[in-house]
Structure formats: C-alpha cells, structure tokens
C-alpha cells in the first residue's frame, strides 16, 4: 500500500512538514477554497501541487472534487455544473494528478452525533448514536413522519433521554450533526438544513441512482480520456438518514454503480469504516470481489452496537477484522502488480491533540499517526508471513 495522509490546506494545524514525519509519501487534499461546482483552474491546482512537492511528497489523491447538489438532484444549472466538473478533471490531469475521490450523498456528507465521545482512556472518538439521531430528527428538527423510521424501542429511549438533556447537551447534538465536516459541507443552520432536505422530498433511491448514472455517463468518458481514476466514497453511515436516500452502502449498490459505466475509471474508495458500519457488508470478500475497481483505501474500524449505533474504535479493533482486510489487500496488490493508495482514516483525539486548537474532527495528527503505524506494522507482518 502507498501510505498517504489527508491534509486540509493552509488552515490545517497538521502541516505538510508534520505529515512528512509520519512516513507517508502521499498527500490527500483538495482545493478547499474553491466553491462547490466551480472550475478548478490550472494555476490554483499547480500552487497546491508545488507546495506538496516542495515538502517532499506527491499529491496522491484528490479528496474531493465535490458534486454540486444540483447534479445530485438533476435540477437547476446541473448541466453547467457537470461542464465545470469535466473541465476540472481535464485541468488536474494536465497538472499530472489522476486520482479523484468524490461522493454522492445528499445534503450531508458523513454524519455523527458526537464528535468528542469520551473513551475509557480519556481520548475521544467520533460516534453515531441511533437514539441521539432519533432525538435530533423527531424532537429538534421535527421532521414529518420521522418516527416511522425508528423502532418503538428507539423512540421510547429517545423520549426519555431527550427529557433529561440539558440545553447545552441539546445544542451540542444539533451542532455535531449540522457542523460542516472537514473538507465537505459548510456549517448549516437548522432552517437552511431543512430547506436543503426538503429539496429531496419525493426523490427515491431509484431517482438518485439514475442521477448518479447520468453523471457518471457524462464524466467517466472524460476521466478515461485523461487517464483519471474516479473513486466514489460510500455513504457514511451506510443507511438512509433524515429521510434522505443513500445509494452507496452495500454490495448491491456497488454492483449497480459499476455497471452504470463499465470502465476502469469508474471505481471505488473502499472505506472500511463506512462500509463496516453495516454488518451486512463482508469487507474482505468485497475487497476480493471489487479488486480491479478499488482505487483508494480508507482504513479504520468501527465498533457496531446492537441498536444500530457505532463508534470509531482503534484501527485494529472494532467490529471489522483488520487482519483479514489488510491480507486481502496485500494479496490483490500482489496478484495485480499494483500498489493501492491508502490513508489511515479518522483517529482518536489523544495526547497533545486534546489541547490543540482548531483541529478537524477525526483528523488530528496523533490518532491518525497511531492508526497508520499500527496498519503499517500489520501489513509488514502479513507480507513477511506470506513471504512477499
Ligand atoms: C470522511 C471522509 C469523507 C470523504 C468524502 C468524499 O472522513 O472520508 O468526508 O472525504 O465523502 O467525497
């Protein structure tokens, strides 16, 4: 695996010089200052690329060129936005960058109810709590018919927990869900959020899939001509939330996606954290199945709980078997003669990072470095064992 590390640009307290010290050779970043849906111009791309190269690394993956909501909805000026997307692809290729991660999640990107959930050892983790999500939808946002998406058991628990919450706990929950997560959407107010959600009224899974298919049929030929590998990020969490359809969460969804356009440029970001939050996904088997179409790896581990909640565990612990996952990756790398870019995804906030200011949730330095180091050791052990 080629080790990479995510960098959020000049405002990121984790600087390129720090990333270099992790041993990663590749940087994963985006032009975060360009508004979603606008063209990435050559001069801007080149500036960031030069910075990364000057720090002794390469720009291994773009994460992400975001997909404008109008494209997801196939409404408004979506044709113009698709034209911009194509131009951005041509421009990055001209600068020698050929790997793009993106997602097709409506309104929200990844979603958590807790951004600083305290673990037993006093470090903190990201958490998705089903009961808190029900509180948000049913009592804070008051979405029509939200109750229908929850079991009696969850609703009952939600009612009791909500009645005991302090106003600052309520605010914290709302902020965590509406917070613009790193490198993705902006912070949203409840009113704007509701308006955005309302745009998806009546949009079914099939509608959204057909919009994704349309988008891919437009951009994949351009990606192919420019030797670019597109890698869709799965939905996180891998389930419908807030009444929004989510369409990249299972093997069936990935099968559909790959047949929209049969091209090596139409690939997957295999995020073991996102896909691993669903017990239906057998990750080592899926890695083997999609071997030719996995272009990027996000490695992390979530611990699933009985009621559908989960939290982000240590990279080698949690509900997914990281040993089997890394072994499957190493085997396909050997068989196909490739080296897949991977980044240690999310990490606990721990040690000095607990005091650090302006850190990006999930993207503190030390927690991710710990994950990277553990996975590096695991990979070495597996390789030696397989005598590769
Ligand atoms: C979460 C990230 C995602 C990812 C986007 C890709 O930590 O993996 O936000 O960057 O979904 O477009």
């Amino acid at each position: 695996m080629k080790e990479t590390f995510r960098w959020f640009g000049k405002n990121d307290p984790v600087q390129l010089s720090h990333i270099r010290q992790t041993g990663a050779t590749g940087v994963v970043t985006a032009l975060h200052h360009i508004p979603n849906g606008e063209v990435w111009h050559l001069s801007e791309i080149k500036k960031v690329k030069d910075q990364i190269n000057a720090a002794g690394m390469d720009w291994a993956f773009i994460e992400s060129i975001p997909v404008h909501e109008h494209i997801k909805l196939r409404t408004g000026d979506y044709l113009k936005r698709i034209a911009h997307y194509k131009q951005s692809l041509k421009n990055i290729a001209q600068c020698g960058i050929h790997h793009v991660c993106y997602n097709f999640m409506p309104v929200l990107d990844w979603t958590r109810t807790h951004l600083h959930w305290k673990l037993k050892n006093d470090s903190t983790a990201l958490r998705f709590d089903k009961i808190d999500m029900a509180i948000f939808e049913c009592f804070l946002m008051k979405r029509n018919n939200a109750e229908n998406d929850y079991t009696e058991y969850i609703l009952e628990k939600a009612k009791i927990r909500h009645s005991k919450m302090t106003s600052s706990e309520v605010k914290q929950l709302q902020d965590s869900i509406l917070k613009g997560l790193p490198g993705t959407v902006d912070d949203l107010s409840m009113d704007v959020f509701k308006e955005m959600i309302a745009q998806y009224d009546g949009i079914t899974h099939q509608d959204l899939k057909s919009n994704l298919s349309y988008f891919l049929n437009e951009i994949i030929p351009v990606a192919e001509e420019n030797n670019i590998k597109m890698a869709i990020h799965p939905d996180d969490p891998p389930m419908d939330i807030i009444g929004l359809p989510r369409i990249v969460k299972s093997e069936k969804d990935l099968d559909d996606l790959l047949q929209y356009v049969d091209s090596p440029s139409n690939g997957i970001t295999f995020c073991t954290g996102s896909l691993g939050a669903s017990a239906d996904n057998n990750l080592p088997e899926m890695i083997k199945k999609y071997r030719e179409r996995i272009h990027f790896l996000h490695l992390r581990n979530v611990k699933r709980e009985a009621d559908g909640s989960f939290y982000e565990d240590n990279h080698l612990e949690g509900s997914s078997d990281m040993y089997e996952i890394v072994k499957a990756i190493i085997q396909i790398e050997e068989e196909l003669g490739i080296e897949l870019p991977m980044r240690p995804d999310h990490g606990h906030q721990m040690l000095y990072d607990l005091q650090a200011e302006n850190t990006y949730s999930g993207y503190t330095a030390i927690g991710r470095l710990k994950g990277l180091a553990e996975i590096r050791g695991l990979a070495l052990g597996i390789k030696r064992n397989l005598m590769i």
Side-chain angles (χ1 to χ4, degrees):
M1 289 180 284
K2 176 181 169 68
E3 294 175 5
T4 72
F5 218 75
R6 196 170 188 188
W7 177 58
F8 289 107
K10 64 178 183 352
N11 297 330
D12 194 336
V14 186
Q15 297 163 15
L16 288 172
S17 57
H18 300 146
I19 293 179
R20 183 137 191 244
Q21 292 181 29
T22 67
T25 56
V27 171
V28 173
T29 195
L31 299 187
H32 294 292
H33 58 290
I34 306 290
N36 186 348
E38 297 300 326
V39 175
W40 287 23
H41 291 293
L42 289 169
S43 56
E44 295 296 314
I45 302 167
K46 211 170 157 316
K47 234 186 271 168
V48 172
K49 189 179 178 216
D50 288 348
Q51 252 179 302
I52 295 172
N53 295 158
M57 294 170 289
D58 65 326
W59 189 346
F61 233 97
I62 290 176
E63 183 173 346
S64 315
I65 303 185
V67 179
H68 196 272
E69 286 298 298
H70 285 179
I71 299 178
K72 294 180 204 159
L73 286 159
R74 224 195 301 176
T75 184
D77 60 3
Y78 72 102
L79 290 174
K80 181 175 112 188
R81 302 295 175 184
I82 291 178
H84 287 177
Y85 208 100
K86 289 179 185 167
Q87 190 57 50
S88 298
L89 292 180
K90 289 179 192 160
N91 290 352
I92 60 159
Q94 212 173 312
C95 295
I97 304 165
H98 298 277
H99 295 92
V100 178
C101 173
Y102 69 102
N103 75 74
F104 216 76
M105 290 178 246
V107 185
L108 293 167
D109 187 332
W110 55 300
T111 304
R112 297 289 181 272
T113 53
H114 300 259
L115 302 177
H116 303 280
W117 190 65
K118 218 170 198 183
L119 295 165
K120 285 200 186 92
N121 64 12
D122 286 343
S123 58
T124 71
L126 303 173
R127 174 176 175 83
F128 179 87
D129 189 295
K130 193 89 182 190
I131 298 170
D132 285 319
M133 198 66 203
I135 294 175
F136 175 79
E137 284 200 66
C138 303
F139 309 129
L140 310 187
M141 179 185 174
K142 302 194 174 71
R143 182 172 74 78
N144 281 345
N145 303 322
E147 305 74 34
N148 298 345
D149 292 349
Y150 292 94
T151 59
E152 276 303 315
Y153 171 82
I154 295 279
L155 286 175
E156 200 43 45
K157 293 252 177 206
K159 238 179 259 167
I160 298 170
R161 190 182 291 176
H162 181 230
S163 69
K164 292 184 185 152
M165 276 169 102
T166 63
S167 54
S168 89
E169 284 168 338
V170 166
K171 179 168 179 333
Q172 201 170 31
L173 172 61
Q174 182 159 317
D175 287 353
S176 301
I177 294 173
L178 298 184
K179 191 171 163 55
L181 290 167
T184 59
V185 288
D186 297 327
D187 291 359
L188 297 169
S189 70
M190 186 61 106
D191 287 342
V192 172
F193 180 65
K194 281 182 175 172
E195 274 168 34
M196 291 177 79
I197 300 276
Q199 291 182 303
Y200 283 85
D201 271 355
I203 304 268
T204 63
H205 292 84
Q206 210 36 57
D207 295 333
L208 195 61
K209 282 194 171 193
S210 118
N211 295 353
L212 173 59
S213 167
Y214 179 87
F215 172 64
L216 290 176
N217 275 283
E218 286 289 317
I219 62 143
I220 294 296
V222 178
E224 216 176 280
E225 271 160 35
N226 289 280
N227 196 19
I228 291 174
K229 289 190 168 141
M230 299 295 300
I232 197 164
H233 190 285
D235 299 339
D236 182 359
M239 60 185 85
D240 294 349
I241 49 169
I242 321 182
L244 296 167
R246 306 271 246 176
I247 55 165
V248 191
K249 54 189 184 320
S250 63
E251 209 169 313
K252 165 80 174 77
D253 289 342
L254 291 175
D255 289 346
D256 286 351
L257 165 95
L258 296 181
Q259 60 88 24
Y260 295 149
V261 189
D262 186 14
S263 156
S265 287
N266 180 21
I268 302 167
T269 294
F270 199 87
C271 175
T272 55
S274 308
L275 293 166
S278 162
D280 297 338
N281 291 327
N282 179 330
L283 304 185
E285 287 309 313
M286 287 167 85
I287 290 170
K288 289 175 204 155
K289 173 169 174 182
Y290 300 117
R291 42 194 272 150
E292 260 114 16
R293 295 295 192 84
I294 296 176
H295 298 326
F296 192 19
L297 299 160
H298 285 182
L299 298 185
R300 66 182 163 86
N301 214 329
V302 301
K303 178 85 181 155
R304 296 187 298 264
E305 296 171 2
D307 67 2
S309 306
F310 61 84
Y311 67 90
E312 305 206 6
D313 209 337
N314 291 309
H315 285 71
L316 303 190
E317 293 164 27
S319 302
S320 302
D321 187 338
M322 196 55 83
Y323 169 78
E324 288 298 339
I325 289 169
V326 173
K327 190 167 148 203
I329 294 165
I330 289 173
Q331 275 168 341
I332 64 167
E333 282 188 323
E334 271 309 296
E335 284 161 21
L336 302 178
I338 53 170
E339 189 184 42
L340 283 170
M342 76 77 130
R343 65 172 183 82
D345 201 9
H346 303 175
H348 293 163
Q349 190 162 3
M350 60 192 294
L351 302 176
Y352 302 109
D353 279 335
L354 286 166
Q355 280 91 48
E357 279 174 26
N358 304 323
T359 57
Y360 289 90
S361 310
Y363 288 95
T364 48
I366 301 170
R368 282 186 296 158
L369 170 59
K370 176 171 171 277
L372 176 63
E374 289 176 348
I375 292 168
R376 181 185 290 155
L378 176 62
L380 180 71
I382 292 172
K383 278 193 178 175
R384 284 284 172 91
N385 201 28
L386 297 174
M387 301 297 271
I388 290 170

